[in-house]
Amino acid sequence: MEIDSNHELIQSTTTLSKYTQQLTALHDEIASIQSEHESVTKNINDKLGLDQWCGDCKGAWGKCDGRVEYLRSTYGNSVLMSKVDIMKEGLCKKG
């Protein structure tokens, strides 16, 4: 009986070790994907001029970030396209 109990304990420790290794690998993969996402997002923002997005200035509708949220929730517009459209009008640009 004690031998069976010890065998079960060894099995659960081995299983825990495997899950810990898998979890560590998944965390590493997530970190890698997040880093790549940030890099791609920055590249896209630079190319579209969104690095100049202010967000805090006030247009006729209030703050630009609020306008983007309104367009997203009301019409289903993407955040990216909403920002691009607002900036095409010459609004919400830094400097």
Side-chain angles (χ1 to χ4, degrees), residues 6-25:
N6 286 339
H7 182 67
E8 287 177 22
L9 183 60
I10 290 170
Q11 285 292 97
S12 65
T13 302
T14 302
T15 302
L16 179 60
S17 177
K18 287 179 184 178
Y19 284 131
T20 302
Q21 288 173 350
Q22 288 176 341
L23 184 59
T24 300

Side-chain angles (χ1 to χ4, degrees), residues 59-73:
W61 54 78
K63 291 186 177 186
C64 293
D65 282 341
R67 179 66 175 170
V68 168
E69 178 55 29
Y70 171 79
L71 293 171
R72 187 198 63 73
S73 64

